[in-house]
Amino acid sequence: MVFTVGSAVIGQNCLGMLIAVLTQHRRRWLRSAIGIVVVSAWVLPELVAAFAVYAFLNTDGTLNNLLAGLGLDPQDWLYSAPMVAVILGNVWRGTAFSMLVYQASLSEVPTDLVEAADVDGAGVFRRFWHVTLPIIRRSVLTNLMLITLQTIGLFTLIYVLTAGGPGAETQTLPLLMYDSAFEFDEIGYGAAISLVLLLIGGLFAVVYAKSLREEV
């Protein structure tokens, strides 16, 4: 739950929205450049993206080399902050999807409504909260449903970075299912975990679908 909420509901969703809003009225070349940078992580195969994050965060990785250049002590980030590491890795890879969804939905917001709110004296935050967000609400709910379901079943990224460790600090249900079935030969227990995982995904889907129907 910590991993799903941190990397999908908060991380990918909010960061994707922020990038889409900040680039909405910028020059085309700037939007294209930012889009290429963000989408490049999304189009990478999950295994390649996981190794890229590992190369950045491990003891001899890029981050520690940068910190050493600033005179700071390096750390083993995958051991000292494993959950933060896997959350940031998933946010880096998956934010592009949310960004593209919100860029498309923001382009459909009527400009006359935003301009009318501006004339009435509404600030940037109030215009977004009271005008833009209600209009794109269905896109927000749809995006949340899709990225939540994808994140619940994420396996490769976490397995490459921490394999669920240290201890069981980053052991999500897919990793527990894999370890139970294939490492400890408890096929029945692994199957039971897969059923629980399926039920959790179904519960999220029902909640989001109900929210979408209420918007009709």
Side-chain angles (χ1 to χ4, degrees):
M1 185 62 69
V2 172
F3 174 71
T4 301
V5 173
S7 65
V9 178
I10 297 176
Q12 295 179 27
N13 180 62
C14 294
L15 184 58
M17 174 73 78
L18 180 62
I19 295 174
V21 170
L22 292 179
T23 60
Q24 184 179 8
H25 299 297
R26 298 298 183 266
R27 296 180 182 273
R28 172 174 287 186
W29 67 267
L30 181 60
R31 294 186 62 186
S32 299
I34 294 175
I36 291 173
V37 171
V38 177
V39 173
S40 61
W42 185 45
V43 299
L44 287 175
E46 188 176 356
L47 184 61
V48 177
F51 273 111
V53 177
Y54 180 81
F56 183 76
L57 293 177
N58 69 36
T59 307
D60 299 322
T62 307
L63 179 58
N64 279 335
N65 288 328
L66 293 174
L67 293 177
L70 296 174
L72 301 175
D73 294 331
Q75 295 188 43
D76 187 352
W77 300 101
L78 298 175
Y79 183 83
S80 60
M83 182 58 74
V84 175
V86 295
I87 286 176
L88 291 179
N90 193 43
V91 170
W92 168 72
R93 183 174 185 270
T95 296
F97 180 81
S98 297
M99 181 194 72
L100 294 174
V101 170
Y102 291 136
Q103 282 181 340
S105 60
L106 287 173
S107 66
E108 301 297 326
V109 176
T111 56
D112 55 341
L113 293 180
V114 179
E115 292 172 355
D118 187 21
V119 171
D120 290 339
V124 175
F125 178 78
R126 293 187 64 186
R127 291 201 304 269
F128 175 77
W129 188 261
H130 295 289
V131 179
T132 303
L133 194 58
I135 295 175
I136 66 171
R137 181 182 177 90
R138 290 176 61 84
S139 296
V140 173
L141 293 173
T142 301
N143 179 65
L144 282 171
M145 179 182 69
L146 294 176
I147 63 175
T148 298
L149 294 177
Q150 187 275 333
T151 303
I152 286 176
L154 190 70
F155 175 83
T156 304
L157 181 72
I158 303 178
Y159 189 80
V160 170
L161 292 178
T162 63
E169 290 190 28
T170 58
Q171 190 177 60
T172 58
L173 282 178
L175 270 76
L176 180 62
M177 177 181 63
Y178 175 84
D179 289 341
S180 300
F182 300 108
E183 296 293 335
F184 304 113
D185 293 326
E186 297 178 352
I187 303 297
Y189 188 52
I193 296 173
S194 68
L195 179 59
V196 171
L197 188 62
L198 178 63
L199 292 175
I200 293 175
L203 178 61
F204 274 104
V206 168
V207 171
Y208 285 133
K210 187 174 185 297
S211 300
L212 287 173
R213 285 200 302 271
E214 292 174 354
E215 293 295 311
V216 178

